[in-house]
Amino acid sequence: VRKGSKKLISFISSSIGSTTFVFNAGHPSGVEYGVSKAALNMIATKYAIALKDEGIIVLIVSPGLVKTMQGRKCVLISVVEKVLLIISC
């Protein structure tokens, strides 16, 4: 990243990694997943602070629900569609 032309590091996270979201939603399940996403959010935040002066941008994206093999059948948007939507912003 330091030697490259695009100074960007991106992480895919989830709202389940937000203590505020989990508390307000009353979402007690998925402890392991939530803790791993909370840790990811902290790691990305620390990198953002540490790399800011080098012009490296750290992006944390929470794409929301997407249709995956493990996901719910009611979710209509595919992973590819969601990625295209995110990068078009």
CSV table of all heavy atoms in Angstrom, one decimal, residues 8 59 61 80-89:
chain,number,residue,atom,x,y,z
A,8,LEU,N,-5.2,3.0,-0.2
A,8,LEU,CA,-6.5,2.6,0.4
A,8,LEU,C,-6.4,1.2,1.0
A,8,LEU,O,-5.9,0.3,0.4
A,8,LEU,CB,-7.6,2.7,-0.6
A,8,LEU,CG,-9.0,2.2,-0.2
A,8,LEU,CD1,-9.6,3.2,0.8
A,8,LEU,CD2,-9.9,2.1,-1.4
A,59,LEU,N,-10.8,2.4,5.1
A,59,LEU,CA,-12.2,2.4,4.9
A,59,LEU,C,-12.8,1.2,5.6
A,59,LEU,O,-12.4,0.0,5.4
A,59,LEU,CB,-12.5,2.4,3.4
A,59,LEU,CG,-14.0,2.3,3.0
A,59,LEU,CD1,-14.7,3.6,3.3
A,59,LEU,CD2,-14.1,2.1,1.5
A,61,VAL,N,-16.4,-0.7,5.7
A,61,VAL,CA,-17.7,-0.8,5.0
A,61,VAL,C,-18.5,-1.8,5.7
A,61,VAL,O,-18.1,-3.0,6.0
A,61,VAL,CB,-17.5,-1.2,3.6
A,61,VAL,CG1,-18.8,-1.3,2.9
A,61,VAL,CG2,-16.6,-0.2,2.8
A,80,VAL,N,-22.6,-9.3,-5.3
A,80,VAL,CA,-22.0,-8.6,-6.4
A,80,VAL,C,-22.8,-7.3,-6.6
A,80,VAL,O,-22.2,-6.2,-6.7
A,80,VAL,CB,-22.1,-9.4,-7.7
A,80,VAL,CG1,-21.7,-8.5,-8.9
A,80,VAL,CG2,-21.1,-10.6,-7.6
A,81,GLU,N,-24.1,-7.3,-6.5
A,81,GLU,CA,-25.0,-6.1,-6.6
A,81,GLU,C,-24.6,-5.1,-5.5
A,81,GLU,O,-24.5,-3.9,-5.7
A,81,GLU,CB,-26.5,-6.5,-6.5
A,81,GLU,CG,-27.0,-7.2,-7.7
A,81,GLU,CD,-28.4,-7.8,-7.5
A,81,GLU,OE1,-28.6,-8.4,-6.5
A,81,GLU,OE2,-29.2,-7.6,-8.4
A,82,LYS,N,-24.4,-5.6,-4.3
A,82,LYS,CA,-24.1,-4.7,-3.1
A,82,LYS,C,-22.8,-4.1,-3.3
A,82,LYS,O,-22.6,-2.9,-3.1
A,82,LYS,CB,-24.2,-5.5,-1.8
A,82,LYS,CG,-24.0,-4.7,-0.6
A,82,LYS,CD,-25.0,-3.6,-0.4
A,82,LYS,CE,-26.2,-4.1,0.3
A,82,LYS,NZ,-26.9,-3.3,1.2
A,83,VAL,N,-21.8,-4.8,-3.8
A,83,VAL,CA,-20.4,-4.3,-4.0
A,83,VAL,C,-20.5,-3.2,-5.1
A,83,VAL,O,-19.9,-2.1,-4.9
A,83,VAL,CB,-19.4,-5.4,-4.4
A,83,VAL,CG1,-18.1,-4.8,-5.0
A,83,VAL,CG2,-19.2,-6.3,-3.3
A,84,LEU,N,-21.2,-3.5,-6.2
A,84,LEU,CA,-21.3,-2.4,-7.2
A,84,LEU,C,-22.0,-1.2,-6.7
A,84,LEU,O,-21.7,-0.1,-7.1
A,84,LEU,CB,-22.1,-3.0,-8.4
A,84,LEU,CG,-21.4,-4.1,-9.2
A,84,LEU,CD1,-22.3,-4.7,-10.2
A,84,LEU,CD2,-20.1,-3.6,-9.8
A,85,LEU,N,-23.0,-1.4,-5.8
A,85,LEU,CA,-23.7,-0.2,-5.2
A,85,LEU,C,-22.8,0.6,-4.4
A,85,LEU,O,-22.7,1.8,-4.4
A,85,LEU,CB,-24.9,-0.7,-4.4
A,85,LEU,CG,-25.8,0.3,-3.8
A,85,LEU,CD1,-26.4,1.2,-4.8
A,85,LEU,CD2,-26.8,-0.4,-2.9
A,86,ILE,N,-22.0,-0.1,-3.5
A,86,ILE,CA,-21.1,0.6,-2.6
A,86,ILE,C,-20.0,1.3,-3.4
A,86,ILE,O,-19.7,2.5,-3.1
A,86,ILE,CB,-20.4,-0.4,-1.7
A,86,ILE,CG1,-21.5,-0.9,-0.7
A,86,ILE,CG2,-19.2,0.2,-0.9
A,86,ILE,CD1,-21.0,-2.1,0.2
A,87,ILE,N,-19.4,0.7,-4.4
A,87,ILE,CA,-18.3,1.4,-5.1
A,87,ILE,C,-18.8,2.5,-6.0
A,87,ILE,O,-18.0,3.4,-6.4
A,87,ILE,CB,-17.4,0.4,-5.9
A,87,ILE,CG1,-18.2,-0.3,-7.0
A,87,ILE,CG2,-16.7,-0.5,-4.9
A,87,ILE,CD1,-17.3,-1.2,-7.8
A,88,SER,N,-20.1,2.6,-6.3
A,88,SER,CA,-20.7,3.6,-7.1
A,88,SER,C,-20.9,4.9,-6.4
A,88,SER,O,-21.1,6.0,-6.9
A,88,SER,CB,-22.0,3.2,-7.8
A,88,SER,OG,-23.0,3.1,-6.8
A,89,CYS,N,-20.8,4.8,-5.0
A,89,CYS,CA,-21.1,6.0,-4.2
A,89,CYS,C,-19.9,6.9,-4.2
A,89,CYS,O,-18.8,6.6,-4.3
A,89,CYS,CB,-21.4,5.6,-2.8
A,89,CYS,SG,-23.0,4.7,-2.7
